[in-house]
Amino acid sequence: QVKLVESGGGSVQAGGSLRLSCTASGYNYCMGWLRQTPGKGREGIASIDNEGFINYDDAVKGRFTISRDVARNTIYLQMDQIQYEDSGVYYCVAKDVGACFASTLKLASNRGRGIQVDVSS
């Protein structure tokens, strides 16, 4: 099983920015970010496949940007205009079967340990 390691979380004020990174120990065609928040539970927020197809959940569209370095098996999540409701645990996920959309990330079998993001108002 591929190991996923997240980094870059922490505390930020509302309106600020953070950048999350995730490096995988091996290749996966679809990678993305899942988050667990007090308000909405667990939800997929951004996905990217190995050809660069990107999909966002409406909650983060226009504010967050996902990108991928295929050669380094690394994905990034640039979080801008962060809102208080973005507070939660962010998980890097990866999968090799099925469609690659933010909404399908809950089905991913590979998941990192998670990283905390705390937003203060």
Side-chain angles (χ1 to χ4, degrees):
Q1 188 163 348
V2 174
K3 183 179 178 182
L4 304 169
V5 180
E6 304 102 335
S7 62
S11 299
V12 63
Q13 284 193 321
S17 298
L18 274 179
R19 189 187 195 215
L20 306 183
S21 300
C22 169
T23 298
S25 61
Y27 170 81
N28 292 269
Y29 109 91
C30 176
M31 296 183 70
W33 295 93
L34 191 74
R35 71 180 182 185
Q36 178 103 30
T37 62
K40 291 189 175 182
R42 191 164 291 181
E43 58 180 350
I45 57 170
S47 63
I48 184 167
D49 72 12
N50 62 339
E51 295 184 353
F53 174 77
I54 290 172
N55 181 249
Y56 296 104
D57 182 83
D58 286 345
V60 305
K61 193 176 295 183
R63 301 187 298 119
F64 292 6
T65 303
I66 189 171
S67 59
R68 181 171 183 170
D69 186 333
V70 177
R72 290 183 168 83
N73 290 325
T74 298
I75 62 169
Y76 307 93
L77 186 69
Q78 178 65 40
M79 305 167 63
D80 298 316
Q81 301 173 52
I82 291 177
Q83 301 170 355
Y84 179 75
E85 293 75 21
D86 295 322
S87 294
V89 180
Y90 285 69
Y91 299 90
C92 178
V93 298
K95 66 194 193 88
D96 283 323
V97 295
C100 189
F101 294 98
S103 60
T104 65
L105 294 179
K106 291 181 182 180
L107 304 175
S109 57
N110 295 329
R111 184 177 299 172
R113 295 183 66 178
I115 194 164
Q116 184 72 38
V117 172
D118 292 316
V119 184
S120 57
S121 56

